[in-house]
């Protein structure tokens, strides 16, 4: 039997028992396939059917920078909190319902760069007013690119999420991974924080790097 994509990965943390793999054909594509796997004993088994996804308007990049619409390659944890403008759809992670004055800080010189913040005043740079990003942020999980446990690097990029399409038929993103509403809810409710879920982002032909 041919090993699954997840079984071929060599850089997942030892405690990871769920993995999301997002691959596309080549560096410049904006179309991707999202696959999900559960670890059962020593084996990795597909969890959900493969799902069509969209990524950054400029495709994948090994050197993502703030303001450039590429999706950063690599292996990242799923953040500890799931967010959304709408009510909790039944996720297993803690859920924060987004309200007015909830921001994602994209100001590279800020000590709070690349983190969730509450502020009555606009934050600098390209910081996002989360409550205004409807339908994209109906629900979203955080992909911990350029975030703790590593120290965020100024200008290396912020706000990489797994979120809903901004347009019904799907569209390229500013660097995030997006799915249809139905597919997104299916993935978010499958994710289990107890399984230390991680996500792998890569052109298909380079997945063996991870």
């Amino acid at each position: 039997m041919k090993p699954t994509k997840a079984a071929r990965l060599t850089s997942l943390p030892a405690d990871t028992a769920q993995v999301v793999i997002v691959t596309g054909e080549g560096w410049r594509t904006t179309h991707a396939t999202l696959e999900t796997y559960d670890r059962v004993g020593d084996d990795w088994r597909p969890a959900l059917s493969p799902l069509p996804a969209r990524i950054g308007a400029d495709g994948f990049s090994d050197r993502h920078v703030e303001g450039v619409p590429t999706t950063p390659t690599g292996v990242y944890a799923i953040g500890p909190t799931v967010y959304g403008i709408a009510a909790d759809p039944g996720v297993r992670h803690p859920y924060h319902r987004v309200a007015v004055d909830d921001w994602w800080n994209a100001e590279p010189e800020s000590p709070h760069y690349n983190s969730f913040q509450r502020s009555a005043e606009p934050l600098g740079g390209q910081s996002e007013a989360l409550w205004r990003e409807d339908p994209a942020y109906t629900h979203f999980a955080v992909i911990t690119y350029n975030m703790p446990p590593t120290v965020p690097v100024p200008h290396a990029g912020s706000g990489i999420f797994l979120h809903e399409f901004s347009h019904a038929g799907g569209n390229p993103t500013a660097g995030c991974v997006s799915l249809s509403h139905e597919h997104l809810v299916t993935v978010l409710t499958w994710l289990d924080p107890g399984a230390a879920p991680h996500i792998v982002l890569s052109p298909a032909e380079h997945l063996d790097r991870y």
Side-chain angles (χ1 to χ4, degrees):
M1 182 183 295
K2 185 178 179 181
T4 64
K5 286 182 180 178
R8 290 159 42 200
L9 299 171
T10 59
S11 58
L12 292 175
D15 62 343
T16 294
Q18 286 186 330
V19 67
V20 177
I21 301 177
V22 179
T23 55
E25 297 304 319
W27 290 94
R28 299 291 293 178
T29 186
T30 71
H31 292 268
T33 299
L34 184 149
E35 297 171 77
T36 52
Y37 296 89
D38 291 307
R39 192 176 68 198
V40 181
D42 293 330
D43 298 326
W44 284 98
R45 299 179 184 173
L48 309 170
S49 298
L51 302 172
R54 300 301 295 271
I55 61 168
D58 286 352
F60 288 107
S61 176
D62 285 342
R63 296 175 179 84
H64 177 67
V65 295
E66 191 70 48
V68 178
T70 56
T71 294
T73 55
V75 180
Y76 308 103
I78 299 296
T81 301
V82 172
Y83 298 84
I85 295 168
D88 182 354
V91 302
R92 288 187 267 186
H93 283 77
Y95 189 86
H96 175 83
R97 189 165 185 179
V98 168
V100 174
D101 297 336
D102 283 351
W103 296 80
W104 199 268
N105 189 323
E107 169 49 65
E109 306 308 323
S110 168
H112 304 296
Y113 179 54
N114 201 15
S115 69
F116 172 83
Q117 299 286 310
R118 284 193 55 79
S119 174
E121 300 296 327
L123 303 182
Q126 299 183 48
S127 297
E128 293 185 277
L130 299 175
W131 70 97
R132 295 177 181 156
E133 298 295 330
D134 188 12
Y137 294 169
T138 300
H139 309 292
F140 67 94
V142 177
I143 297 170
T144 60
Y145 165 77
N146 199 31
M147 293 179 66
T150 63
V151 177
V153 175
H155 302 283
S158 62
I160 303 298
F161 305 140
L162 174 62
H163 66 69
E164 185 172 327
F165 292 152
S166 297
H167 304 290
N171 53 285
T173 72
C176 297
V177 178
S178 64
L179 297 168
S180 71
H181 175 80
E182 178 184 1
H183 290 163
L184 178 69
V185 169
T186 299
V187 174
L188 294 183
T189 53
W190 164 75
L191 289 169
D192 179 359
H198 277 64
I199 186 167
V200 183
L201 309 172
S202 176
E205 61 269 33
H206 297 296
L207 188 62
D208 59 0
R209 299 193 300 183
Y210 306 108

